[in-house]
Amino acid sequence: MFGIVRPCSHRLGEGLRTQWMAHLCGLCLALRGDHGQFARIVTNYDGLLISVLTEAQVERATGGRRTAGPCPLRGMRTASVAQGEGARLAAAVSLVLASAKVRDHVADGDGLLARGPVALAARRVAASWGRAGARTGSDVGFDTAVLVDAVDRQIGIETLAGPGTPLLTVTEPTETATAAAFAHTAVLAGRPDNAEPLAEAGRLFGRLAHLLDAVEDRETDAASGAWNPLTATGTSLVEARRLADDALHGIRLALREVSFTDGKLAHLLLAHELGRSVDRAFGTSGCGHQAHADGVRGAFGPPQHGGPYNPSSPHPHDGQNPYAGGGNPFGGGPSFQLPGPGRRGFWAGCAAAIGVCCTCKVCCADEFEGPWSRKKREGCFSNCDCDCGCCEACEICECCECCSCCDCGL
């Protein structure tokens, strides 16, 4: 799973967390249903935003959910998951962009892909995913050619980019691709008036995704000699943060123009969690507009909380990613014995333990069900130190008037 929007389950709350999981599982199952088990590997956090936006615009009707069977990532429990055109559009976009990502790694000769046989197999997988994404996109009325064209143009732009090239020239293809995907959710939902503001939100989301990826990979790219937009164009972290903050502000403004039936989850992910993603990438815990007064070191010093970008962090995550791995799913559990009433058998318990670990319930959940005993147990870090307030983005940047403390009901 990859992506920049990784909400903490504590901040989502029970209702929105259930919705978020429904869209994540819906994307995964849409990939499996249309393209087979292996396609599920491209399930990603950002892709589910397409499904979230589609559902947020439609009138409530039957058929938007279905009950899925047991899955290890859900502790071998059934769940209500999203289905329909939104999930399929998300699957198509995820497949096409994953195909492009694989081709890019093959072209760069990254890791094992530098070996001929592995590269050949990867090219075949990428081509298969590209065709599969195009088929599903066509089924929901979306022409994935705009995504393929964006990827092709990206390669040419990166080849020609150098010191002095505007960074936004490099991010433009990504912006175009995400704008098209976001706008098509309005078509699927039957809300054509939403297409323009959603295209703007998508364009800026694409810019942010490209920027944050460049910031996070800056040091590793420098060490390996790989191409990086910031290094290639000579863009400073201060300028990158300014562009990121402006894009975030633009997304919040664009969302105000969208008519949602129920936009709580979409707003929380795109207006609030996206802001946290920016802070996480730059190693800060607040708005970066002060960067110009403080300089790079003062504005982008070490993270104020432990997390994936702070090597000295005492925890495997800082509460940002409810699916990060870690912890011991067997700690405090029963010895292996025959199942009693309410207990799971050995193999079912193993599957449940994998799910508890992979969904991070053993670390971050207030309580979770023991894999074998099915007894309630407390998560290792249930009293996490992440700031789970709902209105941090509004308080810091005064960007929107939409939390429970500012009349939005979140």
Side-chain angles (χ1 to χ4, degrees):
M1 306 236 184
F2 53 92
I4 62 174
V5 182
R6 306 192 295 271
C8 172
S9 59
H10 293 78
R11 289 193 300 270
L12 286 176
E14 188 62 34
L16 293 181
R17 178 173 53 191
T18 299
Q19 288 186 42
W20 191 77
M21 278 292 298
H23 288 286
L24 184 62
C25 293
L27 169 57
C28 180
L29 294 175
L31 287 164
R32 185 198 67 179
D34 287 345
H35 310 293
Q37 291 283 0
F38 186 66
R40 300 170 82 173
I41 197 173
V42 308
T43 303
N44 65 95
Y45 297 120
D46 294 345
L48 69 86
L49 289 173
I50 302 295
S51 180
V52 169
L53 285 171
T54 302
E55 186 179 79
Q57 299 173 74
V58 300
E59 296 295 335
R60 287 289 170 261
T62 58
R65 291 280 192 274
R66 72 177 180 87
T67 300
C71 174
L73 296 181
R74 293 192 299 267
M76 297 306 295
R77 289 185 175 275
T78 60
S80 176
V81 303
Q83 65 174 350
E85 293 185 329
R88 297 190 72 201
L89 175 61
V93 172
S94 297
L95 280 167
V96 173
L97 295 183
S99 171
K101 189 78 170 178
V102 171
R103 292 200 307 271
D104 183 53
H105 284 308
V106 170
D108 291 342
D110 294 336
L112 290 175
L113 295 177
R115 301 181 180 181
V118 179
L120 178 61
R123 288 192 190 96
R124 290 179 177 175
V125 169
S128 174
W129 282 348
R131 291 191 297 268
R135 288 196 304 271
T136 300
S138 178
D139 290 345
V140 296
F142 180 68
D143 187 359
T144 58
V146 65
L147 306 182
V148 177
D149 175 68
V151 172
D152 292 341
R153 286 190 297 107
Q154 186 74 56
I155 297 172
I157 289 173
E158 291 182 359
T159 301
L160 298 174
T165 301
L167 186 58
L168 297 188
T169 299
V170 179
T171 64
E172 181 275 324
T174 307
E175 296 177 21
T176 300
T178 49
F182 273 46
H184 197 68
T185 65
V187 176
L188 295 181
R191 295 285 189 94
D193 292 342
N194 286 344
E196 186 174 345
L198 282 174
E200 177 66 6
R203 182 179 68 83
L204 295 172
F205 179 83
R207 178 182 299 179
L208 260 181
H210 204 134
L211 281 172
L212 299 190
D213 183 63
V215 170
E216 292 174 354
D217 293 346
R218 186 167 170 261
E219 292 185 2
T220 55
D221 286 346
S224 64
W227 194 90
N228 184 281
L230 301 181
T231 305
T233 60
T235 303
S236 67
L237 283 178
V238 170
E239 176 62 11
R241 180 63 194 249
R242 185 189 68 81
L243 292 172
D245 285 334
D246 287 347
L248 182 61
H249 183 64
I251 289 172
R252 291 164 173 166
L253 292 177
L255 290 178
R256 292 186 185 182
E257 305 301 320
V258 180
S259 297
F260 288 119
T261 300
D262 181 1
K264 283 186 177 182
L265 181 59
H267 172 82
L268 187 143
L269 294 176
L270 288 170
H272 295 269
E273 292 300 331
L274 194 53
R276 295 176 187 271
S277 298
V278 173
D279 292 335
R280 186 169 58 242
F282 284 92
T284 63
S285 60
C287 181
H289 289 104
Q290 191 62 28
H292 301 285
D294 296 344
V296 176
R297 183 173 182 180
F300 310 124
Q304 296 185 21
H305 301 289
Y309 305 100
N310 181 2
S312 64
S313 171
H315 305 305
H317 61 83
D318 63 351
Q320 303 292 341
N321 182 358
Y323 293 93
N328 176 10
F330 309 107
S335 58
F336 301 133
Q337 49 188 296
L338 293 175
R343 297 173 60 86
R344 290 191 179 96
F346 173 71
W347 293 112
C350 289
I354 293 172
V356 168
C357 178
C358 291
T359 56
C360 205
K361 290 183 179 179
V362 73
C363 300
C364 199
D366 291 330
E367 62 178 26
F368 65 94
E369 192 178 77
W372 289 274
S373 68
R374 306 192 79 155
K375 293 180 180 179
K376 296 297 183 182
R377 302 187 182 281
E378 185 175 321
C380 301
F381 304 136
S382 58
N383 296 318
C384 72
D385 59 358
C386 64
D387 177 9
C388 298
C390 67
C391 304
E392 180 178 287
C394 295
E395 293 171 354
I396 293 176
C397 295
E398 299 179 354
C399 62
C400 48
E401 305 160 287
C402 29
C403 277
S404 57
C405 49
C406 14
D407 304 325
C408 98
L410 282 181

